[in-house]
Amino acid sequence: KSLRGLGMELRCRCIETESQIQIRPHIRKVEIIPANSHCEESEIIATLRGTGLEVCLDPEAQWVKKVIERMMSR
Amino acid sequence: KSLRGLGMELRCRCIETESQIQIRPHIRKVEIIPANSHCEESEIIATLRGTGLEVCLDPEAQWVKKVIERMMSR
């Protein structure tokens, strides 16, 4: 769940992804970074309310896709 | 297309949204901020490659939804 450096995305920022759907109500915003020359996989980084903690989410997980869909429609 | 302050999202960050689909290949990443107590509308902010310029996108626009879907699947 930790992130490496928060540089200009010169490499993947996620080491592992958070699978706990319980964090859903605590998500303040998400950042989506498509696969690029520095990182082969697209990454989704959620910032949590209150703590401002950054957590990586699995772009393939259905619940993550739903969260993002809902965030865009409200 | 300008953004107000980049504070802790204490208000809406977007004044207007970019409707030019041409910016699509230039998007390095997107940030999705759901409606919250400070801003009634969900906001999508794209960061462009190279310049790092931040541009607001319309969450309702079909091309924006497609861009985000594609970003998550690669």
Side-chain angles (χ1 to χ4, degrees):
Chain A
K1 292 176 202 60
S2 66
L3 296 175
R4 279 199 218 126
L6 287 181
M8 248 277 291
E9 282 95 32
L10 294 182
R11 53 178 167 257
C12 294
R13 286 173 55 183
C14 295
I15 293 174
E16 55 188 4
T17 57
E18 172 59 59
S19 56
Q20 308 280 342
I21 196 168
Q22 290 81 338
I23 69 163
R24 206 172 27 176
H26 304 289
I27 297 175
R28 178 156 56 86
K29 65 177 180 179
V30 291
E31 220 177 337
I32 303 174
I33 305 160
N36 53 61
S37 52
H38 304 298
C39 180
E40 280 165 22
E41 286 160 14
S42 55
E43 297 184 298
I44 298 180
I45 298 164
T47 301
L48 301 187
R49 292 181 207 287
T51 60
L53 193 68
E54 289 190 334
V55 175
C56 291
L57 306 181
D58 177 6
E60 309 287 324
Q62 272 314 329
W63 75 271
V64 172
K65 291 178 182 184
K66 282 227 174 61
V67 162
I68 287 172
E69 233 169 77
R70 220 171 295 142
M71 285 173 100
M72 288 175 59
S73 57
R74 278 191 306 151
Chain B
K1 293 176 204 52
S2 65
L3 294 175
R4 279 194 221 131
L6 287 182
M8 247 275 294
E9 282 95 36
L10 295 182
R11 52 176 174 258
C12 295
R13 286 173 55 183
C14 295
I15 293 174
E16 55 186 5
T17 57
E18 172 60 61
S19 56
Q20 308 280 341
I21 197 168
Q22 290 81 341
I23 68 162
R24 208 172 24 177
H26 304 290
I27 297 174
R28 177 157 57 88
K29 67 177 178 180
V30 292
E31 221 178 333
I32 303 174
I33 305 160
N36 53 61
S37 52
H38 304 298
C39 180
E40 281 167 20
E41 287 161 14
S42 55
E43 298 184 297
I44 298 181
I45 298 164
T47 302
L48 302 187
R49 292 182 208 284
T51 59
L53 194 68
E54 290 189 334
V55 175
C56 292
L57 305 181
D58 176 6
E60 309 287 323
Q62 272 311 335
W63 73 272
V64 171
K65 292 179 182 181
K66 282 227 173 61
V67 161
I68 287 173
E69 236 171 76
R70 219 172 296 141
M71 285 172 103
M72 288 175 58
S73 58
R74 277 193 308 154

PDB file of all heavy atoms in Angstrom, chain B residues 22-47:
ATOM      1  N   GLN B  22      -9.483  17.164 -28.960  1.00  0.00           N
ATOM      2  CA  GLN B  22      -8.109  17.040 -29.485  1.00  0.00           C
ATOM      3  C   GLN B  22      -7.082  16.911 -28.368  1.00  0.00           C
ATOM      4  O   GLN B  22      -5.972  16.441 -28.584  1.00  0.00           O
ATOM      5  CB  GLN B  22      -7.732  18.251 -30.348  1.00  0.00           C
ATOM      6  CG  GLN B  22      -8.443  18.335 -31.674  1.00  0.00           C
ATOM      7  CD  GLN B  22      -9.844  18.924 -31.525  1.00  0.00           C
ATOM      8  OE1 GLN B  22     -10.418  18.947 -30.420  1.00  0.00           O
ATOM      9  NE2 GLN B  22     -10.423  19.395 -32.610  1.00  0.00           N
ATOM     10  N   ILE B  23      -7.424  17.321 -27.164  1.00  0.00           N
ATOM     11  CA  ILE B  23      -6.396  17.254 -26.112  1.00  0.00           C
ATOM     12  C   ILE B  23      -6.190  15.807 -25.628  1.00  0.00           C
ATOM     13  O   ILE B  23      -5.238  15.520 -24.911  1.00  0.00           O
ATOM     14  CB  ILE B  23      -6.739  18.139 -24.883  1.00  0.00           C
ATOM     15  CG1 ILE B  23      -7.946  17.594 -24.115  1.00  0.00           C
ATOM     16  CG2 ILE B  23      -6.882  19.583 -25.243  1.00  0.00           C
ATOM     17  CD1 ILE B  23      -8.037  18.154 -22.708  1.00  0.00           C
ATOM     18  N   ARG B  24      -7.052  14.926 -26.063  1.00  0.00           N
ATOM     19  CA  ARG B  24      -7.033  13.535 -25.559  1.00  0.00           C
ATOM     20  C   ARG B  24      -5.636  12.898 -25.569  1.00  0.00           C
ATOM     21  O   ARG B  24      -5.161  12.453 -24.515  1.00  0.00           O
ATOM     22  CB  ARG B  24      -7.978  12.687 -26.425  1.00  0.00           C
ATOM     23  CG  ARG B  24      -8.572  11.523 -25.727  1.00  0.00           C
ATOM     24  CD  ARG B  24      -9.628  10.837 -26.564  1.00  0.00           C
ATOM     25  NE  ARG B  24      -9.477  11.066 -28.005  1.00  0.00           N
ATOM     26  CZ  ARG B  24     -10.270  10.511 -28.904  1.00  0.00           C
ATOM     27  NH1 ARG B  24     -11.253   9.720 -28.526  1.00  0.00           N
ATOM     28  NH2 ARG B  24     -10.114  10.747 -30.191  1.00  0.00           N
ATOM     29  N   PRO B  25      -4.879  12.916 -26.685  1.00  0.00           N
ATOM     30  CA  PRO B  25      -3.563  12.252 -26.679  1.00  0.00           C
ATOM     31  C   PRO B  25      -2.540  12.961 -25.794  1.00  0.00           C
ATOM     32  O   PRO B  25      -1.472  12.432 -25.536  1.00  0.00           O
ATOM     33  CB  PRO B  25      -3.129  12.294 -28.154  1.00  0.00           C
ATOM     34  CG  PRO B  25      -3.991  13.279 -28.831  1.00  0.00           C
ATOM     35  CD  PRO B  25      -5.190  13.530 -27.998  1.00  0.00           C
ATOM     36  N   HIS B  26      -2.887  14.144 -25.331  1.00  0.00           N
ATOM     37  CA  HIS B  26      -1.905  14.923 -24.539  1.00  0.00           C
ATOM     38  C   HIS B  26      -2.116  14.763 -23.035  1.00  0.00           C
ATOM     39  O   HIS B  26      -1.407  15.371 -22.237  1.00  0.00           O
ATOM     40  CB  HIS B  26      -1.991  16.408 -24.933  1.00  0.00           C
ATOM     41  CG  HIS B  26      -1.798  16.625 -26.397  1.00  0.00           C
ATOM     42  ND1 HIS B  26      -0.582  16.449 -27.038  1.00  0.00           N
ATOM     43  CD2 HIS B  26      -2.691  16.929 -27.380  1.00  0.00           C
ATOM     44  CE1 HIS B  26      -0.738  16.669 -28.336  1.00  0.00           C
ATOM     45  NE2 HIS B  26      -1.993  16.948 -28.575  1.00  0.00           N
ATOM     46  N   ILE B  27      -3.111  13.932 -22.669  1.00  0.00           N
ATOM     47  CA  ILE B  27      -3.434  13.799 -21.243  1.00  0.00           C
ATOM     48  C   ILE B  27      -2.462  12.836 -20.566  1.00  0.00           C
ATOM     49  O   ILE B  27      -2.345  11.677 -20.964  1.00  0.00           O
ATOM     50  CB  ILE B  27      -4.884  13.314 -21.061  1.00  0.00           C
ATOM     51  CG1 ILE B  27      -5.872  14.354 -21.627  1.00  0.00           C
ATOM     52  CG2 ILE B  27      -5.193  13.054 -19.588  1.00  0.00           C
ATOM     53  CD1 ILE B  27      -7.321  13.915 -21.631  1.00  0.00           C
ATOM     54  N   ARG B  28      -1.762  13.297 -19.564  1.00  0.00           N
ATOM     55  CA  ARG B  28      -0.805  12.451 -18.835  1.00  0.00           C
ATOM     56  C   ARG B  28      -1.521  11.724 -17.697  1.00  0.00           C
ATOM     57  O   ARG B  28      -1.272  10.567 -17.407  1.00  0.00           O
ATOM     58  CB  ARG B  28       0.351  13.309 -18.299  1.00  0.00           C
ATOM     59  CG  ARG B  28       1.352  12.497 -17.471  1.00  0.00           C
ATOM     60  CD  ARG B  28       2.735  13.157 -17.412  1.00  0.00           C
ATOM     61  NE  ARG B  28       2.682  14.503 -16.880  1.00  0.00           N
ATOM     62  CZ  ARG B  28       2.758  14.796 -15.575  1.00  0.00           C
ATOM     63  NH1 ARG B  28       2.860  13.816 -14.695  1.00  0.00           N
ATOM     64  NH2 ARG B  28       2.722  16.043 -15.152  1.00  0.00           N
ATOM     65  N   LYS B  29      -2.416  12.402 -17.050  1.00  0.00           N
ATOM     66  CA  LYS B  29      -3.183  11.749 -15.984  1.00  0.00           C
ATOM     67  C   LYS B  29      -4.455  12.561 -15.711  1.00  0.00           C
ATOM     68  O   LYS B  29      -4.554  13.712 -16.160  1.00  0.00           O
ATOM     69  CB  LYS B  29      -2.349  11.646 -14.707  1.00  0.00           C
ATOM     70  CG  LYS B  29      -2.020  12.961 -14.037  1.00  0.00           C
ATOM     71  CD  LYS B  29      -1.252  12.758 -12.748  1.00  0.00           C
ATOM     72  CE  LYS B  29      -0.897  14.106 -12.120  1.00  0.00           C
ATOM     73  NZ  LYS B  29      -0.156  13.962 -10.855  1.00  0.00           N
ATOM     74  N   VAL B  30      -5.414  11.950 -15.039  1.00  0.00           N
ATOM     75  CA  VAL B  30      -6.611  12.699 -14.654  1.00  0.00           C
ATOM     76  C   VAL B  30      -6.881  12.526 -13.164  1.00  0.00           C
ATOM     77  O   VAL B  30      -6.511  11.518 -12.572  1.00  0.00           O
ATOM     78  CB  VAL B  30      -7.874  12.253 -15.444  1.00  0.00           C
ATOM     79  CG1 VAL B  30      -7.789  12.616 -16.885  1.00  0.00           C
ATOM     80  CG2 VAL B  30      -8.193  10.804 -15.208  1.00  0.00           C
ATOM     81  N   GLU B  31      -7.489  13.541 -12.606  1.00  0.00           N
ATOM     82  CA  GLU B  31      -7.889  13.534 -11.210  1.00  0.00           C
ATOM     83  C   GLU B  31      -9.417  13.681 -11.186  1.00  0.00           C
ATOM     84  O   GLU B  31      -9.951  14.537 -11.903  1.00  0.00           O
ATOM     85  CB  GLU B  31      -7.267  14.763 -10.537  1.00  0.00           C
ATOM     86  CG  GLU B  31      -6.710  14.565  -9.180  1.00  0.00           C
ATOM     87  CD  GLU B  31      -6.077  15.865  -8.651  1.00  0.00           C
ATOM     88  OE1 GLU B  31      -5.628  16.711  -9.445  1.00  0.00           O
ATOM     89  OE2 GLU B  31      -6.073  16.032  -7.450  1.00  0.00           O
ATOM     90  N   ILE B  32     -10.069  12.830 -10.411  1.00  0.00           N
ATOM     91  CA  ILE B  32     -11.529  12.910 -10.318  1.00  0.00           C
ATOM     92  C   ILE B  32     -11.889  13.254  -8.873  1.00  0.00           C
ATOM     93  O   ILE B  32     -11.491  12.543  -7.947  1.00  0.00           O
ATOM     94  CB  ILE B  32     -12.195  11.577 -10.712  1.00  0.00           C
ATOM     95  CG1 ILE B  32     -11.780  11.163 -12.115  1.00  0.00           C
ATOM     96  CG2 ILE B  32     -13.715  11.683 -10.603  1.00  0.00           C
ATOM     97  CD1 ILE B  32     -12.270   9.788 -12.520  1.00  0.00           C
ATOM     98  N   ILE B  33     -12.577  14.383  -8.716  1.00  0.00           N
ATOM     99  CA  ILE B  33     -12.968  14.824  -7.371  1.00  0.00           C
ATOM    100  C   ILE B  33     -14.502  14.829  -7.325  1.00  0.00           C
ATOM    101  O   ILE B  33     -15.139  15.609  -8.043  1.00  0.00           O
ATOM    102  CB  ILE B  33     -12.433  16.244  -7.075  1.00  0.00           C
ATOM    103  CG1 ILE B  33     -10.910  16.285  -7.290  1.00  0.00           C
ATOM    104  CG2 ILE B  33     -12.784  16.682  -5.666  1.00  0.00           C
ATOM    105  CD1 ILE B  33     -10.367  17.682  -7.486  1.00  0.00           C
ATOM    106  N   PRO B  34     -15.084  13.907  -6.538  1.00  0.00           N
ATOM    107  CA  PRO B  34     -16.550  13.865  -6.483  1.00  0.00           C
ATOM    108  C   PRO B  34     -17.110  15.114  -5.805  1.00  0.00           C
ATOM    109  O   PRO B  34     -16.391  15.800  -5.078  1.00  0.00           O
ATOM    110  CB  PRO B  34     -16.835  12.620  -5.639  1.00  0.00           C
ATOM    111  CG  PRO B  34     -15.597  12.386  -4.848  1.00  0.00           C
ATOM    112  CD  PRO B  34     -14.454  12.925  -5.657  1.00  0.00           C
ATOM    113  N   ALA B  35     -18.386  15.378  -6.087  1.00  0.00           N
ATOM    114  CA  ALA B  35     -19.051  16.512  -5.424  1.00  0.00           C
ATOM    115  C   ALA B  35     -18.855  16.351  -3.924  1.00  0.00           C
ATOM    116  O   ALA B  35     -18.842  15.230  -3.400  1.00  0.00           O
ATOM    117  CB  ALA B  35     -20.528  16.504  -5.779  1.00  0.00           C
ATOM    118  N   ASN B  36     -18.641  17.474  -3.238  1.00  0.00           N
ATOM    119  CA  ASN B  36     -18.422  17.402  -1.787  1.00  0.00           C
ATOM    120  C   ASN B  36     -18.982  18.667  -1.148  1.00  0.00           C
ATOM    121  O   ASN B  36     -19.603  19.489  -1.830  1.00  0.00           O
ATOM    122  CB  ASN B  36     -16.924  17.252  -1.512  1.00  0.00           C
ATOM    123  CG  ASN B  36     -16.104  18.339  -2.206  1.00  0.00           C
ATOM    124  OD1 ASN B  36     -16.288  19.524  -1.937  1.00  0.00           O
ATOM    125  ND2 ASN B  36     -15.255  17.949  -3.155  1.00  0.00           N
ATOM    126  N   SER B  37     -18.741  18.827   0.124  1.00  0.00           N
ATOM    127  CA  SER B  37     -19.341  19.961   0.835  1.00  0.00           C
ATOM    128  C   SER B  37     -18.841  21.296   0.271  1.00  0.00           C
ATOM    129  O   SER B  37     -19.476  22.329   0.411  1.00  0.00           O
ATOM    130  CB  SER B  37     -19.018  19.858   2.328  1.00  0.00           C
ATOM    131  OG  SER B  37     -17.610  19.694   2.479  1.00  0.00           O
ATOM    132  N   HIS B  38     -17.694  21.283  -0.371  1.00  0.00           N
ATOM    133  CA  HIS B  38     -17.118  22.550  -0.861  1.00  0.00           C
ATOM    134  C   HIS B  38     -17.496  22.840  -2.305  1.00  0.00           C
ATOM    135  O   HIS B  38     -17.422  23.958  -2.770  1.00  0.00           O
ATOM    136  CB  HIS B  38     -15.592  22.504  -0.743  1.00  0.00           C
ATOM    137  CG  HIS B  38     -15.123  22.222   0.652  1.00  0.00           C
ATOM    138  ND1 HIS B  38     -15.386  23.060   1.714  1.00  0.00           N
ATOM    139  CD2 HIS B  38     -14.459  21.161   1.175  1.00  0.00           C
ATOM    140  CE1 HIS B  38     -14.869  22.545   2.820  1.00  0.00           C
ATOM    141  NE2 HIS B  38     -14.321  21.377   2.521  1.00  0.00           N
ATOM    142  N   CYS B  39     -17.859  21.776  -3.052  1.00  0.00           N
ATOM    143  CA  CYS B  39     -18.147  21.991  -4.467  1.00  0.00           C
ATOM    144  C   CYS B  39     -19.265  21.033  -4.875  1.00  0.00           C
ATOM    145  O   CYS B  39     -19.122  19.813  -4.743  1.00  0.00           O
ATOM    146  CB  CYS B  39     -16.893  21.737  -5.313  1.00  0.00           C
ATOM    147  SG  CYS B  39     -17.186  21.991  -7.086  1.00  0.00           S
ATOM    148  N   GLU B  40     -20.345  21.583  -5.397  1.00  0.00           N
ATOM    149  CA  GLU B  40     -21.544  20.776  -5.659  1.00  0.00           C
ATOM    150  C   GLU B  40     -21.399  19.818  -6.825  1.00  0.00           C
ATOM    151  O   GLU B  40     -22.178  18.907  -7.002  1.00  0.00           O
ATOM    152  CB  GLU B  40     -22.711  21.716  -5.955  1.00  0.00           C
ATOM    153  CG  GLU B  40     -23.327  22.329  -4.730  1.00  0.00           C
ATOM    154  CD  GLU B  40     -24.252  23.486  -5.118  1.00  0.00           C
ATOM    155  OE1 GLU B  40     -24.664  23.524  -6.307  1.00  0.00           O
ATOM    156  OE2 GLU B  40     -24.474  24.345  -4.275  1.00  0.00           O
ATOM    157  N   GLU B  41     -20.404  20.109  -7.675  1.00  0.00           N
ATOM    158  CA  GLU B  41     -20.299  19.247  -8.866  1.00  0.00           C
ATOM    159  C   GLU B  41     -19.030  18.413  -8.807  1.00  0.00           C
ATOM    160  O   GLU B  41     -18.014  18.861  -8.268  1.00  0.00           O
ATOM    161  CB  GLU B  41     -20.264  20.109 -10.128  1.00  0.00           C
ATOM    162  CG  GLU B  41     -21.615  20.718 -10.437  1.00  0.00           C
ATOM    163  CD  GLU B  41     -21.487  21.895 -11.382  1.00  0.00           C
ATOM    164  OE1 GLU B  41     -20.398  22.040 -11.970  1.00  0.00           O
ATOM    165  OE2 GLU B  41     -22.430  22.665 -11.492  1.00  0.00           O
ATOM    166  N   SER B  42     -19.082  17.215  -9.389  1.00  0.00           N
ATOM    167  CA  SER B  42     -17.842  16.433  -9.480  1.00  0.00           C
ATOM    168  C   SER B  42     -16.973  17.124 -10.535  1.00  0.00           C
ATOM    169  O   SER B  42     -17.483  17.711 -11.498  1.00  0.00           O
ATOM    170  CB  SER B  42     -18.161  14.996  -9.890  1.00  0.00           C
ATOM    171  OG  SER B  42     -18.901  14.985 -11.084  1.00  0.00           O
ATOM    172  N   GLU B  43     -15.672  17.069 -10.310  1.00  0.00           N
ATOM    173  CA  GLU B  43     -14.747  17.739 -11.209  1.00  0.00           C
ATOM    174  C   GLU B  43     -13.710  16.740 -11.711  1.00  0.00           C
ATOM    175  O   GLU B  43     -13.271  15.854 -10.968  1.00  0.00           O
ATOM    176  CB  GLU B  43     -14.051  18.896 -10.481  1.00  0.00           C
ATOM    177  CG  GLU B  43     -15.026  19.983 -10.010  1.00  0.00           C
ATOM    178  CD  GLU B  43     -14.318  21.163  -9.385  1.00  0.00           C
ATOM    179  OE1 GLU B  43     -13.654  20.985  -8.349  1.00  0.00           O
ATOM    180  OE2 GLU B  43     -14.411  22.276  -9.950  1.00  0.00           O
ATOM    181  N   ILE B  44     -13.324  16.929 -12.974  1.00  0.00           N
ATOM    182  CA  ILE B  44     -12.271  16.088 -13.565  1.00  0.00           C
ATOM    183  C   ILE B  44     -11.186  17.016 -14.089  1.00  0.00           C
ATOM    184  O   ILE B  44     -11.461  17.922 -14.892  1.00  0.00           O
ATOM    185  CB  ILE B  44     -12.827  15.223 -14.708  1.00  0.00           C
ATOM    186  CG1 ILE B  44     -13.910  14.284 -14.159  1.00  0.00           C
ATOM    187  CG2 ILE B  44     -11.699  14.431 -15.362  1.00  0.00           C
ATOM    188  CD1 ILE B  44     -14.502  13.369 -15.192  1.00  0.00           C
ATOM    189  N   ILE B  45      -9.989  16.819 -13.574  1.00  0.00           N
ATOM    190  CA  ILE B  45      -8.879  17.695 -13.948  1.00  0.00           C
ATOM    191  C   ILE B  45      -7.805  16.854 -14.627  1.00  0.00           C
ATOM    192  O   ILE B  45      -7.294  15.901 -14.040  1.00  0.00           O
ATOM    193  CB  ILE B  45      -8.329  18.415 -12.708  1.00  0.00           C
ATOM    194  CG1 ILE B  45      -9.443  19.290 -12.106  1.00  0.00           C
ATOM    195  CG2 ILE B  45      -7.109  19.251 -13.057  1.00  0.00           C
ATOM    196  CD1 ILE B  45      -9.203  19.761 -10.720  1.00  0.00           C
ATOM    197  N   ALA B  46      -7.517  17.193 -15.881  1.00  0.00           N
ATOM    198  CA  ALA B  46      -6.496  16.463 -16.637  1.00  0.00           C
ATOM    199  C   ALA B  46      -5.195  17.245 -16.573  1.00  0.00           C
ATOM    200  O   ALA B  46      -5.206  18.486 -16.652  1.00  0.00           O
ATOM    201  CB  ALA B  46      -6.938  16.306 -18.096  1.00  0.00           C
ATOM    202  N   THR B  47      -4.090  16.508 -16.407  1.00  0.00           N
ATOM    203  CA  THR B  47      -2.765  17.130 -16.478  1.00  0.00           C
ATOM    204  C   THR B  47      -2.168  16.756 -17.819  1.00  0.00           C
ATOM    205  O   THR B  47      -2.189  15.579 -18.209  1.00  0.00           O
ATOM    206  CB  THR B  47      -1.863  16.612 -15.332  1.00  0.00           C
ATOM    207  OG1 THR B  47      -2.502  16.912 -14.088  1.00  0.00           O
ATOM    208  CG2 THR B  47      -0.490  17.266 -15.375  1.00  0.00           C
TER     209      THR B  47
END
